[in-house]
Amino acid sequence: MPDTILYDSAFRLFGDHVTPKVLAAAEAGTWPTELWEAVSEAGYLDVLADGSVAMVEAATILRAAGHHAAPIPLAETMLARWLGAACGLQPPAGPLTIAPVEPDDRILLVGDTLTGRAGFVPWGRDAAATLLIAEGRVYVAPKGEAGFELDRNLAGESRDHLQGVAHECASAPLPNSIDPEQVLRLGALMRAAQMAGAAEAALELSVRYANDRVQFGRPIGKFQAIQQQLALLAEEVAASMVVVESAAIAVAEDRASAAIAVPAAKIRTGEAAGKICDIAHQVHGAIGFTEEHSLHYLTRRLWSWRDEFGNEAHWALALGRRMAGLGADALWPTITTP
């Protein structure tokens, strides 16, 4: 990301507060209070409060958070506060989340209850409030008013299933300038930024291990086969970083290309995630899967995050339909115009 000062600051903050002990405790159900307070005091939660013009900064912070596998709903809170501000709503202080977050999910007003198919709500049980998009309105459901069936993703992060919400909670119309698809796109970009950070960390761990692990009298990183695998891993990481940066800039500058750059970012980071996890674990051998090693905190998130806010198949289909709708003559101008 362009803002190296912001990235370095965020990197140090997460590095100081996200330890193996904190990660293990979070997976066991303990909320990382000190980490959350540090992130809140740093002002990261409101980085999008004035609109998506700060998406480069948000992506920079999320990349640092992903690098350290920060076990908090940072992307969700950023997104929820942006949506609340756009609708003139004031959600409670603390962690927030948003629903629906999957392309085929819908929340409907049935009688006096908000219900419907919501595959999961990220961090539902931990959020001070959930912002729900339903039938052209945004509802703010404080903690305790939304019913959840508790669940987790592969990384041990809360992914709870919405059961129902009383519709008397505060609400406001969704602005004409925002539609549910746009919210999904922004969420996809923010997940992609987290994935780019986790991928970068997986590369660093793999290079370090290859230089430290000695086999047949020399570090395994000296063997050509390992060097080739690390080079492929570095290529996937670099591609992820570039595509996320490009998409964040397009969103921040409100470019027409954002509608293409964001799906491309989620597709590319998702594809890279599979390859990165494969190579990183091959380089580490069995040690990378053990509880004592930190690699699995990254790879389990990469495997999980690639499917959230729309997977590669969803965004590839959406991107293909968009390009087909523009017509053959528009293909080259569309992909080359900033």
Side-chain angles (χ1 to χ4, degrees):
M1 296 299 163
D3 195 337
T4 56
I5 295 176
L6 176 60
Y7 179 76
D8 290 344
S9 175
F11 190 91
R12 287 193 299 271
L13 184 149
F14 290 112
D16 289 342
H17 291 88
V18 182
T19 64
K21 183 178 179 180
V22 168
L23 287 167
E27 291 196 21
T30 301
W31 176 254
T33 302
E34 291 185 6
L35 168 62
W36 183 259
E37 290 177 351
V39 168
S40 180
E41 290 174 3
Y44 295 163
L45 305 179
D46 290 314
V47 70
L48 293 180
D50 294 330
S52 56
V53 292
M55 183 53 73
V56 173
E57 289 76 10
T60 299
I61 295 166
L62 290 167
R63 174 188 154 203
H67 191 288
H68 293 284
I72 53 174
L74 180 55
E76 291 81 359
T77 302
M78 287 180 175
L79 191 58
R81 291 199 176 193
W82 164 79
L83 183 60
C87 296
L89 294 168
Q90 185 64 45
L96 302 174
T97 190
I98 192 167
V101 297
E102 288 300 303
D104 295 329
D105 291 348
R106 296 292 182 272
I107 298 175
L108 306 173
L109 180 60
V110 180
D112 293 332
T113 304
L114 285 167
T115 186
R117 183 175 64 185
F120 66 85
V121 179
W123 307 96
R125 80 191 75 173
D126 302 302
T130 303
L131 273 69
L132 303 109
I133 302 174
E135 301 187 11
R137 296 186 70 85
V138 176
Y139 295 79
V140 179
K143 189 172 187 176
E145 294 190 18
F148 293 106
E149 178 185 349
L150 304 186
D151 200 358
R152 293 184 180 274
N153 64 8
L154 182 63
E157 298 172 320
S158 302
R159 296 295 184 266
D160 303 325
H161 304 275
L162 182 69
Q163 299 299 300
V165 181
H167 83 284
E168 288 86 357
C169 54
S171 69
L174 193 65
N176 293 331
S177 59
I178 298 176
D179 59 52
E181 181 69 15
Q182 180 184 358
V183 177
L184 184 67
R185 282 199 305 270
L186 292 180
L189 174 55
M190 297 167 91
R191 271 293 185 273
Q194 291 176 287
M195 291 169 67
E200 184 181 28
L203 171 61
E204 292 179 4
L205 286 178
S206 298
V207 171
R208 186 183 309 145
Y209 183 80
N211 288 328
D212 292 342
R213 178 72 169 91
V214 175
Q215 188 72 32
F216 304 114
R218 57 176 174 164
I220 62 173
K222 298 294 184 181
F223 292 93
Q224 186 174 8
I226 298 296
Q227 292 175 350
Q228 181 185 24
Q229 290 300 300
L230 291 175
L232 293 173
L233 177 52
E235 289 177 7
E236 296 298 326
V237 172
S240 298
M241 302 275 284
V242 169
V243 74
V244 168
E245 180 180 330
S246 176
I249 292 172
V251 170
E253 298 182 356
D254 197 25
R255 298 179 183 176
S257 60
I260 296 172
V262 172
K266 191 60 164 65
I267 294 167
R268 188 64 185 90
T269 54
E271 291 177 347
K275 298 175 183 178
I276 289 166
C277 292
D278 287 349
I279 295 172
H281 279 292
Q282 287 171 2
V283 171
H284 280 82
I287 191 67
F289 287 98
T290 64
E291 288 294 328
E292 291 77 12
H293 203 281
S294 58
L295 178 63
H296 68 93
Y297 288 118
L298 300 167
T299 54
R300 286 191 288 119
R301 279 168 172 77
L302 286 170
W303 283 319
S304 298
W305 290 344
R306 69 183 296 186
D307 288 331
E308 297 182 358
F309 287 97
N311 59 18
E312 298 101 279
H314 166 77
W315 289 114
L317 183 60
L319 188 56
R321 285 174 172 167
R322 180 177 180 83
M323 298 307 299
L326 293 174
D329 292 340
L331 176 60
W332 183 250
T334 299
I335 64 177
T336 55
T337 299

